[in-house]
Amino acid sequence: QDYVEAETLCLEAIRIREKVLGNEHPDYATSVDFLASTYLRMGKYEDAEPLYLKAKTIRANVLGKEHPDFAVSLLNLTAFYSTIGNFEKAELPALEAIAIQKKLLGKEDLILAKSQIYLATVYSNMGNYEKSEPLFLEAIAIQEKNLGKTHSDYAASLYGLAVLYGNMGNYEKAELYFLEALAIREKLFGKEHTFYAEILDKLTILNIHIGNY
């Protein structure tokens, strides 16, 4: 019901912005993006993809391919393709977005770090661990420098790195980072939160792999 209402609101916003601004305006592209994200959450993938591509095309034409909003469109496509399990297609837009962000923001920006985590996760899901690990480590270093070691985003990145090491069979490193992320989430959210339970589940599976029953 909430998604149906969100769809209705997005469609109305698109109608208004197209009437007032035209269909080649950045704000119109933003509304198109919102509708695409709504369809993604609804599982209407065939409806979402062309909208993400439409928003990307508008931003490329109006803002240029080195604008931060164009990078956002690229990352939206990465998120979309990752959600449907097409990790090969998710890789290229993430690489392009990261190149743009490095040029615009520098190599120690938190927005860049988040994009690197996206790409690292894509590589992890592809089984390309050699490319995934350095991206995770670089992004985590940026987050540690800018956010400190008690931030939820830092904990989420540690969690992703721990999952990677688990997939690699490096259970010692996986356990180390799971435990660090667990301690942060316990402090931030308490022991009754799903974020805390998520890591407990992973530690349980990890101990089964190790044979530590």
Side-chain angles (χ1 to χ4, degrees), residues 92-110:
L92 187 59
L95 283 168
E96 192 176 348
I98 286 170
I100 294 166
Q101 290 172 341
K102 280 185 177 179
K103 186 174 181 180
L104 292 176
L105 305 172
K107 294 183 178 181
E108 295 193 352
D109 189 86
L110 285 170

Side-chain angles (χ1 to χ4, degrees), residues 152 155 184-196:
S152 58
I184 297 167
R185 286 184 172 178
E186 180 183 352
K187 186 173 182 180
L188 291 175
F189 306 112
K191 291 184 175 182
E192 298 296 318
H193 198 283
T194 55
F195 286 166
Y196 184 83

